[in-house]
């Protein structure tokens, strides 16, 4: 048994090392300093959206049709700021999990150096999102109390595949939205730059998260797979349901109760989420993380 395990480790280590080295090279060639790259100076032009309108939680509802174009744009700007703030929340969770994972490991290993590079990326991203949200004239949007407390527990305890698969889900969900926003000429230019930077740097993070998830799951038994699949699905549910804070509606001058009600029933928005997560769900399935119990949570989060 031991010899099989050792053999497997020897077979996979060069592949992992090679991947980490390639990620390091890529980040050396193409990384951004948002403080310099993003136009922070030009005052906010309110003739632009903050996100592609099709991604608004109200797009396609009766309420959306009643809004003036100005209100629609204010809403997508507040929604974009809320997504950025949720991004900060998750990036802080992620940085702590990765830092814990590599605690006292071999610093000569390229994966170790990659992990620190990723943490440094996330640190710049969070500052960028914070400034971006402020420029969109948004207040601090924080997840609801339960999500904050569960996140506090998760970031201090999650490890292995549970940590990396949850990281992957959060990064993938953000990625699909941001790819649309960065290309959209209706979106305010500085937000497009922010999204472009994030998409480029996150594509490396997602590669690493996918590889780590697969790697850590090697040899995992049925029970461990079931348990971690469920943990990841619950984490995903809280991440996705925290994306748009209900306070965005009042801040855009809307009636919160009506907006929340119509957003909850918005089939268009659910379909956007589902179709954008198809590739992610395929990966989770191939990794054996799409169990019956976890599928229930992904359905509730409208990811399946
Ligand atoms: Fe990030
Ligand atoms: Fe990331």
């Amino acid at each position: 048994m031991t010899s099989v395990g050792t053999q497997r480790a020897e077979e996979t280590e060069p592949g992992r090392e090679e991947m980490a080295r390639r990620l390091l090279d890529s980040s050396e060639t193409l990384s951004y300093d948002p403080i310099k790259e993003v136009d922070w100076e030009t005052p906010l032009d309110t003739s632009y959206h903050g996100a592609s309108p099709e991604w608004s939680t109200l797009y396609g509802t009766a309420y959306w049709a009643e809004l003036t174009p100005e209100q629609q744009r204010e809403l997508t700007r507040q929604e974009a700021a809320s997504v950025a703030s949720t991004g900060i929340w998750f990036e802080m969770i992620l940085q702590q999990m990765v830092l814990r994972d590599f605690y006292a490991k071999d610093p000569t290993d390229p994966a170790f150096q990659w992990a620190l590079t990723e943490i440094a990326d996330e640190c710049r991203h969070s500052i960028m999102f914070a400034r971006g949200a402020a420029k969109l004239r948004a207040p601090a949007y924080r997840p609801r109390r339960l999500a904050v407390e569960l996140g506090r527990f998760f970031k201090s305890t999650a490890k292995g595949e549970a940590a990396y698969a949850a990281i992957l889900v959060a990064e993938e969900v953000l990625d699909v939205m941001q790819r649309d926003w960065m290309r959209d000429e209706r979106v305010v230019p500085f937000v497009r730059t922010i999204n472009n930077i994030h998409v480029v740097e996150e594509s490396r993070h997602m590669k690493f998260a996918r590889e780590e998830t697969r790697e850590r799951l090697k040899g995992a038994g049925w029970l461990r797979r079931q348990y971690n699949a469920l943990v990841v699905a619950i984490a995903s549910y809280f991440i996705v349901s925290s994306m748009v804070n209900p306070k965005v509606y009042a801040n855009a001058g809307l009636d919160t109760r009506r907006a929340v009600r119509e957003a909850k029933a918005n089939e268009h928005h659910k379909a956007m989420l589902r179709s954008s997560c198809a590739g992610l769900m395929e990966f989770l399935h191939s990794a054996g993380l799409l169990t019956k119990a976890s599928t229930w949570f992904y359905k509730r989060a409208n990811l399946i």
Side-chain angles (χ1 to χ4, degrees):
M1 278 255 316
T2 323
S3 79
V4 173
T6 321
Q7 214 177 355
R8 189 184 284 149
E10 277 166 5
E11 273 165 24
T12 54
E13 280 313 312
R16 251 181 118 197
E17 243 186 79
E18 181 54 34
M19 183 202 55
R21 209 167 269 132
R22 261 187 278 130
L23 291 174
L24 280 168
D25 286 348
S26 160
S27 109
E28 225 171 86
T29 328
L30 190 61
S31 286
Y32 298 96
D33 178 359
I35 302 292
K36 292 192 189 116
E37 306 280 346
V38 180
D39 173 12
W40 301 112
E41 299 308 316
T42 312
L44 177 68
D45 182 347
T46 55
S47 68
Y48 285 102
H49 277 279
S52 299
E54 292 78 12
W55 272 106
S56 171
T57 51
L58 286 182
Y59 185 88
T61 62
Y63 203 0
W64 176 266
E66 287 173 29
L67 301 178
T68 65
E70 288 74 27
Q71 285 177 310
Q72 293 175 346
R73 293 197 297 269
E74 182 59 51
L75 176 61
T76 62
R77 288 196 298 270
Q78 292 298 320
E79 287 179 319
S82 174
V83 169
S85 306
T86 305
I88 296 171
W89 171 62
F90 191 76
E91 284 177 341
M92 294 190 81
I93 292 176
L94 182 164
Q95 291 178 67
Q96 295 179 59
M97 292 196 300
V98 175
L99 200 54
R100 269 199 301 109
D101 186 38
F102 279 85
Y103 174 72
K105 284 188 181 166
D106 174 4
T108 65
D109 177 5
F112 179 96
Q113 292 165 26
W114 166 256
L116 291 186
T117 305
E118 181 166 325
I119 292 169
D121 287 351
E122 300 298 16
C123 191
R124 290 194 309 276
H125 294 168
S126 290
I127 299 168
M128 169 173 84
F129 287 148
R131 283 185 161 215
K135 191 164 168 169
L136 287 167
R137 299 176 192 157
Y141 288 123
R142 270 166 294 202
R144 58 195 185 281
R145 187 68 194 268
L146 178 63
V148 168
E149 294 313 325
L150 285 174
R152 196 190 302 282
F153 175 74
F154 186 70
K155 75 178 172 59
S156 318
T157 57
K159 54 183 190 187
E161 62 271 22
Y164 286 100
I167 289 173
L168 183 66
V169 171
E171 289 177 339
E172 291 255 7
V173 172
L174 264 183
D175 184 67
V176 277
M177 290 183 202
Q178 293 182 327
R179 272 175 201 273
D180 284 348
W181 306 356
M182 76 183 202
R183 295 192 195 99
D184 196 328
E185 287 179 354
R186 297 166 297 177
V187 173
V188 65
F190 82 92
V191 170
R192 293 178 62 191
T193 313
I194 287 176
N195 289 326
N196 199 349
I197 292 173
H198 205 244
V199 163
V200 168
E201 298 190 342
E202 288 296 330
S203 73
R204 292 189 286 260
H205 299 182
M206 290 187 285
K207 258 188 208 120
F208 187 67
R210 250 180 248 124
E211 191 55 35
E212 287 302 301
T213 303
R214 267 196 218 106
E215 193 61 37
R216 309 291 172 107
L217 274 169
K218 274 184 187 159
W222 181 85
L223 191 63
R224 183 172 137 196
R225 215 174 272 266
Q226 287 288 323
Y227 175 75
N228 284 322
L230 186 61
V231 168
V232 172
I234 294 171
S236 307
Y237 171 78
F238 279 98
I239 293 162
V240 173
S241 62
S242 300
M243 285 283 184
V244 176
N245 191 306
K247 288 188 187 126
V248 300
Y249 304 116
N251 290 326
L254 312 191
D255 167 10
T256 303
R257 282 179 62 180
R258 180 175 175 197
V260 168
R261 192 176 62 236
E262 295 203 18
K264 263 198 182 127
N266 187 356
E267 287 305 324
H268 166 81
H269 192 253
K270 292 178 192 173
M272 290 284 279
L273 274 175
R274 269 196 303 270
S275 70
S276 60
C277 286
L280 170 67
M281 290 303 137
E282 212 166 280
F283 171 80
L284 291 176
H285 174 70
S286 75
L289 289 176
L290 221 50
T291 59
K292 225 179 185 172
S294 68
T295 304
W296 188 83
F297 278 97
Y298 290 121
K299 276 192 182 142
R300 283 211 58 186
N302 300 306
L303 298 184
I304 290 183

